[in-house]
């Protein structure tokens, strides 16, 4: 295989293959689990139309069934989990079946959680096809479904057998979805890798022109940040929390409009800027560093401000964040460019001032 392999340190270590080819996954699985095993591909209709044939070219020596899940965040649900269970039973799945999660973060989280609970657990492979899934959700073993009371409320840390990333799948990804991944990539750079930030700045035009070579490099560097953080802290007791940078503010923006009308990437973009302003007020960032971040985000067409919002309502919504502890808001701030810090003593007044900086 051409490309790169990075190993994740975990209770169950696993490799992340970057620049792999869909049609070569079968060869890898033959060496890993042996030929003839039962595989259950879980994917969306559109992703399946684009990539199932290519994937299946390499799976001739396996027994393969495919389960199609409609698109959308709503499908990360207990109802869909129940449907998958019935369909898997009808296909003869058992504990030795291996799930192949072919899609973005929705498929990865749903199929991964399904793998974690079906017959008390079966193996699964993450095959990410969005930039967000490649650099973020496929790595780290977090799997989940949503509940009426909150997103990702029912889940687990359940490491995959492997992550198999074929960058060529990005060719069909709509630009809006690419932006969601770019926001997470910029987040990785700000909290953990200044060189990555410089790389993105230097190649912004080529990234926007969707040059495939650039995406290989960008995605590989961003994935490496995620691998490093989850390898150091798989269960999110410390450094993995840095990955929440921009998300406490961003989730409040998304929740306020019930996840309609703002994308995750847009929420994270504004959230990173709000947190950067708070960091500047605390002397953790210079005004030049905050401006550097704003310029980069704007250059991609990501929003850095939001119109007509009530900062008090948004601050209250931040109180529901899963990362909070004993009623205290827990926030991640950048420390300059390239480092993060978790703060547990943020007061509502400084959070309100940060909102004021991003509300027009
Ligand atoms: P997504 O999975 O909904 O995919 C976005 C859209 O792109 C979908 O309509 C999908 O069908 C389509 N698509 C996927 N691949 C494509 C391709 N190659 N070509 C064309 N279309 C394609 O969205 P996402 O942004 O990938 O993932 C978001 C989800 O990830 C959320 O549910 C979030 O909670 C979760 N997430 C999980 C983690 C984690 O650590 N487990 C981290 C971040 C996000
Ligand atoms: N996306 C946050 C995490 O994986 O921890």
């Amino acid at each position: 295989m051409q490309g790169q392999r990075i190993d994740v340190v975990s209770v169950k270590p696993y490799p992340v293959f970057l620049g792999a080819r869909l049609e070569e996954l079968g060869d890898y699985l033959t060496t890993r689990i042996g030929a003839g095993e039962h595989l259950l591909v879980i994917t969306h209709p559109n992703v399946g139309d684009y990539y199932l044939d290519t994937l299946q070219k390499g799976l001739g020596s396996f027994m393969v069934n495919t389960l199609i899940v409609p698109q959308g965040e709503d499908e990360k649900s207990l109802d869909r989990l129940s449907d998958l269970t019935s369909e898997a039973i009808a296909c003869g799945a058992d504990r030795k079946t291996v799930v192949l999660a072919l899609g973005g973060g929705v498929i990865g989280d749903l199929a991964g959680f399904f793998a974690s609970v079906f017959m008390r657990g079966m193996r699964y492979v993450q095959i990410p096809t969005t930039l967000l899934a490649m650099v973020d959700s496929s790595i780290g073993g977090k799997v989940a479904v949503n509940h009426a009371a909150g997103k990702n409320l029912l889940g687990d840390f359940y490491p995959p057998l492997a992550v198999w990333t074929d960058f060529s799948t990005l060719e069909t990804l709509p630009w809006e979805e690419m932006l969601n991944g770019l926001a997470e990539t910029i987040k990785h750079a700000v909290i953990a890798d200044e060189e990555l930030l410089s790389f993105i700045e230097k190649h912004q035009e080529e990234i926007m022109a969707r040059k495939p070579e650039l995406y290989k490099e960008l995605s590989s560097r961003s994935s490496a940040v995620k691998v490093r953080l989850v390898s150091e802290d798989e269960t999110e007791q410390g450094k993995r929390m840095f990955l929440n940078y921009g998300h406490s503010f961003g989730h409040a923006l998304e929740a306020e409009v019930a996840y309609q009308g703002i994308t995750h990437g847009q929420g994270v973009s504004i959230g990173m800027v709000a947190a950067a302003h708070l960091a500047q007020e605390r002397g953790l960032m210079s005004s030049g560093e905050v401006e550097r971040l704003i310029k980069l985000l704007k250059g991609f067409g990501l929003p850095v401000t939001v119109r007509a919002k009530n900062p008090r309502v948004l601050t209250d919504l931040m109180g529901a964040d899963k990362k909070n502890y004993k009623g205290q808001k827990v926030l991640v701030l950048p420390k300059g460019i390239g480092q993060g810090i978790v703060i547990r003593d943020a007061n509502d007044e400084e959070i309100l001032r940060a909102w004021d900086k991003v509300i027009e």
Side-chain angles (χ1 to χ4, degrees), residues 50-329:
Y50 285 130
Y51 299 114
L52 259 180
D53 283 351
T54 313
L55 180 69
Q56 277 173 335
K57 263 187 212 158
L59 302 179
S61 62
F62 295 90
M63 292 182 292
V64 185
N65 288 106
T66 301
L67 306 184
I68 302 288
V69 173
Q71 287 164 246
E73 181 69 29
D74 289 350
E75 295 300 325
K76 268 176 60 176
S77 68
L78 282 176
D79 283 349
R80 181 55 60 190
L81 202 66
S82 174
D83 290 349
L84 286 176
T85 305
S86 309
E87 290 162 17
I89 293 287
C91 295
D94 62 23
R95 270 188 177 164
K96 290 197 75 190
T97 296
V98 176
V99 169
L100 306 185
L102 175 68
V106 163
I107 286 291
D109 280 12
L110 171 71
F113 189 57
F114 173 65
S116 78
V117 290
F118 184 80
M119 296 195 181
R120 297 201 176 85
M122 50 184 170
R123 295 164 294 177
Y124 74 111
V125 177
Q126 290 277 15
I127 313 173
T129 62
T130 65
L131 182 62
L132 181 139
M134 290 177 187
V135 303
D136 190 353
S137 60
S138 67
I139 302 165
K142 277 189 186 176
V143 294
V145 295
N146 301 326
H147 184 271
K151 280 191 66 174
N152 298 322
L153 270 190
L154 300 165
D156 198 0
F157 291 98
Y158 192 69
L161 193 66
V163 181
W164 194 261
T165 300
D166 184 336
F167 296 125
S168 71
T169 58
L170 291 178
E171 281 164 26
T172 52
L173 192 68
W175 179 246
E176 189 177 74
E177 299 300 339
M178 200 72 105
L179 277 177
N180 290 332
L182 282 168
E184 303 292 356
T185 295
I186 293 169
K187 174 195 78 179
H188 286 167
V190 174
I191 52 155
D193 189 349
E194 179 167 17
E195 269 183 35
L196 175 57
L197 199 83
S198 303
F199 176 85
I200 301 170
E201 287 169 334
K202 185 169 166 205
H203 297 287
Q204 190 159 23
E205 275 183 24
E206 293 144 286
I207 294 168
M208 294 189 65
R210 303 189 62 152
K211 296 229 165 105
E213 283 310 312
L214 252 294
Y215 278 88
K216 279 184 198 166
E217 173 105 30
L218 180 79
S219 180
S220 299
R221 286 179 178 227
S222 185
S223 301
V225 169
K226 176 102 194 220
V227 168
R228 175 154 56 87
L229 290 174
V230 302
S231 289
E232 283 183 40
D233 174 26
E234 183 167 37
T235 56
E236 204 169 3
Q237 310 300 312
K239 278 196 172 175
R240 185 168 183 167
M241 290 177 79
F242 292 175
L243 296 167
N244 205 36
Y245 169 47
H247 284 61
S248 304
F249 287 93
H251 279 155
L253 285 166
E254 288 184 84
E256 197 248 348
V257 289
Y259 297 89
Q260 306 294 320
I262 182 168
T263 65
H264 182 65
Q266 289 169 339
V268 169
S269 178
I270 298 164
M272 286 194 288
V273 174
H277 283 301
L278 206 160
Q280 186 188 346
E281 192 181 293
R282 286 192 169 212
L284 295 166
M285 275 188 114
S286 68
S287 60
E289 287 166 335
V290 178
E291 282 312 312
R292 186 178 171 194
L293 171 66
I294 289 174
K295 183 170 175 235
L296 184 62
L297 293 167
K298 273 183 161 173
F300 282 115
L302 282 162
V304 293
T305 56
V306 61
R307 295 183 65 163
K309 296 287 175 194
N310 182 332
R312 180 64 66 182
V313 170
L314 293 170
T315 302
D316 288 347
L317 283 167
M318 288 168 76
D321 197 310
K322 277 202 296 296
K323 312 279 188 304
N324 293 343
Y325 186 65
K326 291 189 175 167
Q328 179 62 48
K329 294 185 182 73

